[in-house]
Amino acid sequence: MYATQALTHVVPLAEEFDKNKVTPGVLGFIVFAALAVGVWLLMKSMNRHMGRVNFKEAPDPDAASADAKTSGTATGHAR
């Protein structure tokens, strides 16, 4: 059987479907479920990695010197 003959037998079957009632079906559900599991695993991994982060911010040298100047004048003698 040639490919063109096979297509002529399949085309009438495709015309029987109502184009307004086509749903994603099982394949759509499997793809959606795989994406949901992938996102869940990525979020679980991200939470684990963020828990391992030990972040200590270095003090800003400009802010520290500005605070020292401000506190020095504030505690000075009033005349």
Side-chain angles (χ1 to χ4, degrees):
M1 185 179 267
Y2 295 110
T4 55
Q5 290 175 341
L7 287 176
T8 57
H9 292 292
V10 173
V11 170
L13 294 174
E15 291 176 357
E16 291 177 12
F17 291 115
D18 185 10
K19 294 179 182 179
N20 294 326
K21 293 185 180 180
V22 175
T23 62
V26 176
L27 180 63
F29 174 75
I30 291 171
V31 169
F32 182 77
L35 286 172
V37 168
V39 168
W40 180 73
L41 288 172
L42 283 172
M43 290 182 67
K44 187 175 177 180
S45 174
M46 181 192 66
N47 283 334
R48 189 173 11 147
H49 282 86
M50 292 300 287
R52 292 180 184 170
V53 172
N54 187 10
F55 179 72
K56 291 184 180 178
E57 187 174 350
D60 189 15
D62 295 333
S65 63
D67 288 342
K69 288 179 186 176
T70 305
S71 63
T73 58
T75 59
H77 299 292
R79 295 185 191 188

